[in-house]
Structure formats: structure tokens, C-alpha cells
Amino acid sequence: MIGREMVRWTEGGRASQLAAVLMGTTILAGVPADALAQVAPKASAAKASKAAAPKAAAPKAAPAAPVVDPDAGAQPIVTIQVKGSERLEPQTVLSYIKMRVGQPYTKASADAALKDLYSTELFKDVQINNDGGVVVIQVQENPVVNRIILEGNKRIKDDKILPEIKVSPRQIFTRSKIRADVARIIELYKRQGRYAATVEPKMVSLDQNRVDIVFEITEGDKSKVRQINIIGNEHFSDGELRSEMVTKQARFTRLFSSGTSYDPDRMAFDQQKLRQFYLTQGYADFRVVSAVAELTPDKKDFIITYVVEEGQRYKFGDVKVESQLRDFDGEKMAKNLVMHKGDWYNAKQVEDTIEGLNQTAGAFGYAFADVRPQYDRDKENLTMGLTFVIQEAPRVYVERIDINGNTLTQDKVVRREFRLAEGDAFNSLQVKRSTNRIKSLGYFQEKFEVEQKPGAADDRIILEANVEEKPTGELQLSAGFSSLESFIFQASIRQRNFRGRGQTVGLSGSLSRYSKSVEASFVEPYLFDKNVSLGVDIYRRDYNSFNYYNSDRNTTYEQSTTGFQVRAGVPLTEYLTAVARYTLNYDDVGLGSQYFNAAGDCDPVVAGRYLCDAIGKRLSSIVGLSLIYDTLDNRQRPTRGFTASINTDFAGLGGDVKYARIRGNASKFMNMGKGFIFSLSAEGGVIKGIGGDDVRLTDRFYLGEPQIRGFAIRGVGPRVLRKYITDGVIATKRSDWQDDALGGNYYYMGRAELEIPLGSGAREMGLRPSIFADVGAVWGVKKPSLTQCDFAAGGNGKCNPLYTTAAGGSTTEASTGGVANTPTLDSNGNQTYAYNFTEEFVGDTWKPRVAIGIGVNWNSPFGPFRIDFSRVLLKQEGDDPKTFTFNVGTQF
């Protein structure tokens, strides 16, 4: 009855009535029932009396125990005062609590007020006192954060940690926020494998109730994987199974591998790798029972333990193909499958077969063909029967092609690379080809794929190219050092997607100790929106040829070439392109003054006949044609595919030079799996003079670094070695010879290279090591006349000179036989000879030169770096081997 009255009165909304009921409840507690009837409403009196009357058979009830109200006699609140607040107004503090003037002050209301104030996280300390209805709330505000300071972090920089910290300057300091930030920082270090990292937060008090928060970080060493234990494996050793895992045991040989750090996600992936491995070996029931990683007490290393259950090994049973598509004969397709009855079961072969059948169906226009394998496991005979069911699906047509994400690149630049048009029958091979062509543009993200989405009907599909543009403009100033060119300075500006039209515009220049050049270029891949490419190059190149003498590099001839080239390309098929070009060059070849005699003529004794014949100014008018076959998946960095080209050039359409030249090359790239890329390449060429003209020295083929590693620049092929004579003794050290490469009219070259993958850490650093084998030769020049002297032991000391000096200082070919090379005394009393050298012509042979080695490409922070260590296995007389080469540069 009382409860119902309280609710009713409370609903009436009058606080005085509610207080009266509360007080009445307290006063009347324990009063007999008949007394209650006197204070209850008349309408309830009869009911109360009837309820209170005892029944005849019922025992008399015991009197109720008195209830004591702890807040009985609570004083009403007269006033509420706030003390200690600095930034907050007293009214703001009061707004956070429910305590009000006029209400009774109770312990419950005081506790609620304390809880409400602490929940704001604005106060460090709060006290509430009541003195005769005067309530005083004493507060101490939390300080304001002035700044955040990180100390001790070297492996993770401030710009990586600060975004993870939620406390920021001008916010209110709270301990809960600091604890959360400490946990976030430690989590960052755990992601790097540093489980021993600790963070100690400190607070530096400042004036005006401000603080600096200092996170003192002790990074610790990376927590490596010390040991990987495998329990339950009977058919494969621990080493075989560890080799399948991404996580590796920490060893000295894996200093650059990030796989030695503990990572829970990597550990879960390793369990999948173990399962994949066993499934490829026929163990269809394999499972990982448990995987536990234990941190050593010093928190430096982890010990990982896998418990596995191998199960039984299965073989393939009957392998069938059931096709519901009218274009496919299931029996014929089953005969072409890679797996056969009796072979060990291999889940990878099953996955590859499903993918292959889907691609085959896609090539016939069934974009949504569904290939489902049905397994028939026989546990008694340990066989796995398999039926590939190709379910019925409609032929699909391209409804539309959408291009999304391109803000600069025009739609037509992407759309014209599609091998399918809207309305065409769907073809999965053409979609893949379109994907590769778009990636080869180099304008978008590397992991680009053309997405396939259902269209408005079951037989319609939407092809969607969601591209993510990357910068295509290049402005580079670089300086570096090369074993070829000594110091190099380069500057270039190029835009590979000019105005979003797919055009390439570039301007470049370079300067080194032995060469300098400037070049402007323009390429339009689709002239007038037709499938015709146009390119124009205008250039000036100055080159100084050289030889070595006494370890010094000496300039032999200087060649300046000014010219331009215009080329146009037309695709003949999807993979075959024809490119026609016209080149006009003006060459000026000259020698240093030391090579001329007093009459101003080139002195063959000093320069050699081959150099004297090369000097002069000539105009070369060259027309050429190339056929290029290209199926590479990516022209920027191919991983699979084939490319080949045949290039022909004819010089003689006007000008002073006449020759015909043909060159061919081919390259094959193969993805060997697990990041290994194997490539084979070969090339060769021949050049012939026309109309009785000999091929000039500057137009011949040359081999050496960098074409064939393991040899110096122009270190392979025909050459003249001039060996100097001192006191009748011929120099035997190559550094004391003059080495002049002559080039050749024929050449061939081949290369095999395997790119070796490293861990993710090395890949992030841009390290790409490889092993290689190079082979090649250049030959086919007319043997020059030489100056030969016989100073060997027992020799007659005579020379067979190419030239004699007649009266007046003119030089003519010698017509006599040997002449005595009689020494004379100079002004210092030293012996000199008329000819102080003997010459040898060597290296003119087709026999191969072979070198093997290891190299590393590194996209270092200061620029591209390439280093090669080579060992020559096969060389010919006169070749100049070189074990170590490198190129390095920097950008600024």
C-alpha cells in the first residue's frame, strides 16, 4: 500500500508529498496494522482492517523489526561553495553534479557528486564537506599539457610515434590517457619485434599549473626467433619444414633478413604454409595441433614450437571432368590434366587446374563459369578421387568499361590500352593483356588489376579500371662516380604523361671526364588518336676514346656527333610492332696535337694507321627499320614474358658514309616462384661497308663493360698492343703497354641471370642481388700493318717498320725488309732507338669469352648503386679482364 502511494504521489510531481511519504514510511514502520487504518484513506480502511484480522487457524504473526534510515534527519542544503578552481568557473563545476540547494544532504548524494566530478577527468583531487547545510566542494584541477617530449627513440622516429599518442598540448593531463599512450608506444615496438622495449612516462611541473610529459623510451634489441621446434613430423625433417616457413631462425647468415623477428601474423601464416606443403605431398589429413611462442626470460628471443599431425598419404584416384558447357568436351579435357590416377595427391595441382579451367572458359566468353571440384576420399585404399564440374553459365558480353581514379590522365589514355571494347564478347586472356598494357604505361600503381563486375543482366559484365595515379614528372640533378666515366654530373627533366595525354617530353644533359651530351626528346604514342607512334630526338654528343698506359687513361680520339632522329611505329599484331626511323648525324673525329707531325699530318708511328684513317668530318644519312615482338608483363620491371627485335640500318641515302648494319636481340623472363626471376638474353650483329668503303672505327661494334661483365670497357675483341722497349727489353706488364681497341664488324653476346629474393626488410631497402653468366665475342676487322721488332732472347735486334722517315720529315710506308734498330745516345747519355716499341694485333676471333659472377642492385638513399664481382672463365689473347666494377650516384 505504501509503495503504491509513493509511486502515485511521485507521479503527482510534488516533492513535498514525496518527502512526507518517505518520512511517514520511516515513522510508521513497525506500527500494528489496525493503527495504519487511521492514517490511510477511507477507501482503503476496510481493506486494511480485513487484511489485519487474523484467521481462525493461522498462528499469530511476530511483530516486524524496526528499520533505521541512515539519512533520517538529513539537513537540507543551504548553499554550495566551490573552492580551488583556477581555470573552471564555480558554476561549471556545479553543472557536473546533481546536488542542489534545498535538497537534503546525504552520504549517497555526496558519493554521487564525487563520482560525477572524477568522471570528467578534470580534477586531480575532490573533497566535499558539510557544515550545517553549507556544502564546500574543494577541488584540485588536473594540469594542462604544455608539450610532449620523446627521449631514447632511435629505431622509430618522432613522426611515427607522435601520431599514435592521444595526449596533445593544451589538453588536460590525466593518468589514464598517459597509461594508454604508453601501451600504444610499446605496441609500436612490438610490431618491429622489440618486445623488450619499455616506456617510462614522467611529468615535469611548470608554472600556471602546466606540465611537460616526457616519455623515456628504452628500445632494447629486436626479439629474434632463437629456435623453431616441430613435434610430430615423421616423414619430413625439421629443416625441410622450416624452409617452407616465412619465419626463420636467427643466424649470422641472416643479418639482413626481417624474417628472424617474431610476428604473430607471420606465425599464423607459417601454419598455412605448413598445411600447403603437406597437401602438395599427398597428406590430405594434415593439421597443426598447436603453435606456441614462448618469450625467454630476458625478452630477447622467442622459442616457437609447432605440434603437427601428419596423417596418411593419399594418391589420386579417378580424375574426371564433367562439363555442362556445350563448347567443352569433358573427356578430352580430362586427358590434358596434369594429374593422373596413381600420382601422389597434390592440392596445388588441383588449385592450378581450377584456375586453368576458369581461364579456358573465360577465353571462350564464359566470364562467370564456375568450376567446382568434387572429392571422393577412400580412407581404406588411401585414394582421392576427383571430379571437376564445370557448371553451366551464359556467354558474357562487355556492357561497359569504367575508368575511375584518374585525375590527370585522360580516359582515352587508359581506354585505348584495353584489348576489349564495349559490346565485345568477354575474353579473360584479353582482360589480362589489357591489365599488363596499362601497368606498362608506368602511370599508375604497380598492383593494378582490371576488376570484373556483374552487369545489368546475367550475360553482361562491367570492366572497371580503378587506377591510382603516381607522379610521372621527373626532375633530377645527380652526381656520382663510375668505374667507366670517373666523375659524372647529370641533369634531366622529363614528363612521361605530359598534360595527361600519355606523351613523353624530356630534356637531359650529362658531363663527365670523357663525355658530355645534351638531348631533347618527344614521343607521341598515338598520333592523331591513331594507333601510330611518333618520336623525335635532337642531340649533341661529345665522346673521348681512350686507352691505358702506365695505369693512366689517355685520350686517343675525340668524336663530336650532332644530329636528330625521327621514328614512327605501327603495330602489325597485338604483340608485333614495326618501327621505321631516319637518322642524320654530323660527326667530327679529331686527334690531339701529339698525334701530328711537324708537317701537320697525322703521324701513323704515333697514332697508328687505324686512328689516322678515322679522323675527319663526315655526314651520315641513315634509314632503319625494326620489327619488335613483345609479350612482357611489365616493360618497367618484367617478371615473365618474351621480347625480340630485328634492327636494320642503311647508311648511304646521301651523306659521306655507306654501310649496312643488322642487329638482333631476344630476351626471355621466367618467374620461378618465391621471388626468383630467371632471364635469358642473346643478341648479335653484323656491319658491312658498301661500295668498297671500310667501316669506320667509330661505327664498329665494341664489347666489354658494361655489356659483358668481367672485362674492362672495350676489353674484348680486336686490338693493337703497343709494347714499349727500354734498353732492348720489351715491357711485360700490361700497365706499361698502350692498348687500343679497334672494335669489330661482327659480334654476339648472351646472358643468363637469376635474381635472388631476399627478406621483406631487404626488399624495403631496395636490394636485388643476382648471379649471372655472360658470354660474347667481337671480331672481323682487317689486320693493320704493324711495327714489329725482334728483341727476344737470341734475336737479331732488327725491326720490320711500318713507316720510314724520309728527308724532310715525311712519313711513307717502308718497302724494305728488316732494318737494324741500332741504339744511339741522347744528350743525357741514354740509349734510344729509332723505334722504341713493337706492336701486336690480337683478339680478332669469334671464340667465346665467358664470365660468371654475382651482382647487387641497390636503390640506396643516395641514389642507384650497382656492384659486380666477376670471374673470367674463358678469354682470348689480348683481352683485358676486370674483377670488380661498380656505379654509384646521388640525388640532391
Side-chain angles (χ1 to χ4, degrees), residues 33-138:
D34 55 352
L36 290 175
Q38 299 178 7
V39 296
K42 293 181 179 181
S44 303
K47 294 181 180 180
S49 300
K50 185 177 180 180
K55 294 182 180 180
K60 186 175 182 180
V67 178
V68 180
D69 185 357
D71 293 329
Q75 295 178 338
I77 299 174
V78 179
T79 182
I80 302 176
Q81 300 177 5
V82 177
K83 295 183 179 181
S85 59
E86 298 178 1
R87 296 185 307 274
L88 298 175
E89 295 292 334
Q91 286 300 119
T92 302
V93 177
L94 294 176
S95 68
Y96 294 135
I97 63 176
K98 299 180 181 64
M99 187 181 294
R100 296 292 182 266
V101 174
Q103 294 179 354
Y105 177 86
T106 64
K107 292 182 178 180
S109 62
D111 290 341
L114 287 173
K115 184 177 181 181
D116 290 339
L117 290 176
Y118 276 117
S119 67
T120 65
E121 296 188 340
L122 296 174
F123 307 102
K124 181 191 301 184
D125 185 36
V126 180
Q127 296 179 6
I128 299 179
N129 298 313
N130 178 26
D131 186 8
V134 178
V135 177
V136 179
I137 302 177
Q138 184 72 35

Side-chain angles (χ1 to χ4, degrees), residues 788-860:
Q788 296 178 336
C789 298
D790 185 6
F791 281 89
N796 55 17
K798 291 187 176 181
C799 297
N800 180 23
L802 171 60
Y803 308 100
T804 60
T805 303
S810 62
T811 302
T812 60
E813 282 196 34
S815 57
T816 61
V819 297
N821 195 28
T822 305
T824 59
L825 297 179
D826 60 16
S827 59
N828 296 323
N830 298 320
Q831 289 183 337
T832 61
Y833 294 82
Y835 299 96
N836 64 339
F837 57 83
T838 182
E839 294 180 328
E840 296 180 11
F841 175 65
V842 294
D844 187 28
T845 176
W846 57 269
K847 295 180 180 180
R849 284 75 160 173
V850 179
I852 61 173
I854 183 170
V856 177
N857 277 313
W858 180 27
N859 294 327
S860 66

Side-chain angles (χ1 to χ4, degrees), residues 468-782:
E468 181 182 339
E469 292 182 326
K470 62 182 181 181
T472 55
E474 300 172 2
L475 174 62
Q476 181 175 354
L477 300 175
S478 63
F481 182 84
S482 167
S483 57
L484 295 178
E485 299 277 358
S486 188
F487 286 98
I488 305 172
F489 299 94
Q490 294 179 331
S492 66
I493 181 172
R494 186 173 67 152
Q495 173 56 257
R496 293 182 290 109
N497 189 14
F498 185 61
R499 298 188 301 169
R501 296 174 176 267
Q503 301 167 339
T504 300
V505 179
L507 178 65
S508 63
S510 65
L511 175 66
S512 71
R513 185 178 177 186
Y514 293 97
S515 66
K516 57 184 177 181
S517 66
V518 61
E519 181 173 350
S521 61
F522 173 79
V523 177
E524 169 57 77
Y526 285 81
L527 186 63
F528 304 122
D529 291 330
K530 304 295 182 182
N531 204 0
V532 178
S533 63
L534 176 69
V536 179
D537 297 325
I538 302 174
Y539 47 83
R540 168 63 184 261
R541 302 167 184 152
D542 294 338
Y543 174 74
N544 296 340
S545 184
F546 55 87
N547 59 29
Y548 289 96
Y549 177 58
N550 286 334
S551 299
D552 294 328
R553 190 170 175 176
N554 304 313
T555 298
T556 54
Y557 68 85
E558 301 173 353
Q559 179 181 0
S560 298
T561 301
T562 304
F564 70 90
Q565 183 183 89
V566 180
R567 58 191 177 279
V570 179
L572 303 180
T573 67
E574 175 60 28
Y575 301 104
L576 183 63
T577 303
V579 178
R581 59 185 173 275
Y582 175 75
T583 305
L584 184 65
N585 288 335
Y586 178 76
D587 295 320
D588 184 1
V589 180
L591 299 175
S593 58
Q594 70 271 24
Y595 295 105
F596 291 86
N597 55 29
D601 299 324
C602 178
D603 189 345
V605 175
V606 179
R609 168 68 66 83
Y610 49 89
L611 282 183
C612 288
D613 291 343
I615 63 174
K617 299 178 180 180
R618 297 175 180 85
L619 184 67
S620 301
S621 178
I622 309 168
V623 293
L625 178 66
S626 297
L627 292 177
I628 304 171
Y629 182 80
D630 187 355
T631 64
L632 297 180
D633 62 340
N634 191 328
R635 297 189 189 99
Q636 307 296 324
R637 188 181 173 188
T639 60
R640 59 169 57 89
F642 178 76
T643 181
S645 66
I646 298 177
N647 309 283
T648 59
D649 293 288
F650 172 76
L653 190 66
D656 307 315
V657 179
K658 293 180 173 60
Y659 65 79
R661 179 174 60 200
I662 183 171
R663 290 174 295 172
N665 63 71
S667 297
K668 174 72 174 178
F669 292 85
M670 291 163 280
N671 192 332
M672 310 302 292
K674 297 184 179 180
F676 289 91
I677 307 297
F678 181 68
S679 61
L680 286 171
S681 61
E683 64 176 278
V686 58
I687 184 170
K688 283 290 187 180
I690 298 177
D693 287 357
D694 290 333
V695 179
R696 294 184 306 156
L697 180 73
T698 54
D699 293 326
R700 296 173 187 161
F701 301 118
Y702 292 89
L703 285 185
E705 184 189 353
Q707 298 94 342
I708 297 183
R709 290 161 289 192
F711 294 89
I713 184 172
R714 298 188 175 188
V716 173
R719 60 208 325 104
V720 171
L721 300 177
R722 182 173 287 189
K723 302 179 180 180
Y724 288 88
I725 304 168
T726 304
D727 294 333
V729 179
I730 301 176
T732 57
K733 292 183 179 179
R734 191 180 188 103
S735 60
D736 295 332
W737 303 346
Q738 181 173 310
D739 183 353
D740 292 318
L742 304 184
N745 296 333
Y746 310 94
Y747 87 100
Y748 68 84
M749 184 176 66
R751 174 177 298 173
E753 189 160 6
L754 178 64
E755 185 175 316
I756 303 172
L758 297 178
S760 58
R763 286 198 301 270
E764 292 174 0
M765 294 173 60
L767 286 172
R768 291 187 294 116
S770 63
I771 56 176
F772 60 85
D774 292 348
V775 61
V778 58
W779 75 100
V781 296
K782 177 195 263 186

Side-chain angles (χ1 to χ4, degrees), residues 60-347:
K60 186 175 182 180
V67 178
V68 180
D69 185 357
D71 293 329
Q75 295 178 338
I77 299 174
V78 179
T79 182
I80 302 176
Q81 300 177 5
V82 177
K83 295 183 179 181
S85 59
E86 298 178 1
R87 296 185 307 274
L88 298 175
E89 295 292 334
Q91 286 300 119
T92 302
V93 177
L94 294 176
S95 68
Y96 294 135
I97 63 176
K98 299 180 181 64
M99 187 181 294
R100 296 292 182 266
V101 174
Q103 294 179 354
Y105 177 86
T106 64
K107 292 182 178 180
S109 62
D111 290 341
L114 287 173
K115 184 177 181 181
D116 290 339
L117 290 176
Y118 276 117
S119 67
T120 65
E121 296 188 340
L122 296 174
F123 307 102
K124 181 191 301 184
D125 185 36
V126 180
Q127 296 179 6
I128 299 179
N129 298 313
N130 178 26
D131 186 8
V134 178
V135 177
V136 179
I137 302 177
Q138 184 72 35
V139 299
Q140 184 178 356
E141 295 176 350
N142 275 327
V144 174
V145 177
N146 179 53
R147 57 177 177 164
I148 306 296
I149 302 173
L150 302 176
E151 294 182 355
N153 55 312
K154 297 180 181 179
R155 301 294 181 179
I156 305 180
K157 300 303 180 183
D158 290 7
D159 59 348
K160 301 294 183 182
I161 298 179
L162 290 177
E164 298 293 328
I165 296 177
K166 301 305 179 184
V167 173
S168 61
R170 294 182 297 278
Q171 283 188 353
I172 302 300
F173 166 84
T174 63
R175 297 185 182 277
S176 60
K177 290 180 181 179
I178 299 301
R179 285 193 296 268
D181 287 339
V182 169
R184 292 188 186 97
I185 296 174
I186 291 177
E187 181 62 29
L188 284 178
Y189 279 96
K190 284 184 177 180
R191 292 175 191 172
Q192 283 199 350
R194 300 181 183 276
Y195 284 80
T198 59
V199 179
E200 182 178 354
K202 293 186 177 181
M203 183 177 66
V204 179
S205 300
L206 304 174
D207 56 354
Q208 300 179 357
N209 200 19
R210 296 176 301 129
V211 292
D212 286 341
I213 305 301
V214 181
F215 293 97
E216 292 186 354
I217 302 173
T218 302
E219 296 180 319
D221 296 328
K222 271 193 174 184
S223 299
K224 301 292 185 179
V225 177
R226 178 188 299 176
Q227 186 70 30
I228 299 177
N229 300 319
I230 304 174
I231 301 173
N233 53 315
E234 298 178 358
H235 297 89
F236 300 98
S237 66
D238 289 3
E240 289 178 287
L241 298 182
R242 290 191 195 108
S243 65
E244 297 295 324
M245 299 179 184
V246 177
T247 304
K248 303 297 181 184
Q249 296 179 139
R251 298 293 184 266
F252 177 77
T253 55
R254 298 192 180 107
L255 291 177
F256 295 104
S257 175
S258 61
T260 58
S261 299
Y262 171 72
D263 188 337
D265 295 334
R266 192 184 293 128
M267 185 175 170
F269 182 68
D270 285 337
Q271 297 180 53
Q272 296 298 323
K273 295 285 288 183
L274 284 175
R275 176 168 173 75
Q276 290 175 7
F277 172 73
Y278 270 94
L279 288 177
T280 60
Q281 303 299 320
Y283 294 90
D285 297 327
F286 171 84
R287 68 189 185 99
V288 178
V289 178
S290 65
V292 179
E294 298 176 292
L295 185 63
T296 56
D298 57 4
K299 295 185 178 182
K300 291 184 177 180
D301 297 304
F302 276 90
I303 298 175
I304 300 177
T305 303
Y306 295 97
V307 178
V308 302
E309 186 178 297
E310 292 181 328
Q312 298 294 327
R313 193 178 189 187
Y314 288 77
K315 290 185 177 181
F316 279 113
D318 293 328
V319 182
K320 304 176 183 178
V321 176
E322 293 182 2
S323 175
Q324 299 175 5
L325 302 178
R326 63 181 181 179
D327 298 310
F328 295 86
D329 187 333
E331 293 183 1
K332 291 183 178 179
M333 297 184 70
K335 294 179 181 179
N336 296 323
L337 297 181
V338 295
M339 72 280 290
H340 301 90
K341 183 176 181 179
D343 295 343
W344 290 114
Y345 173 75
N346 189 324

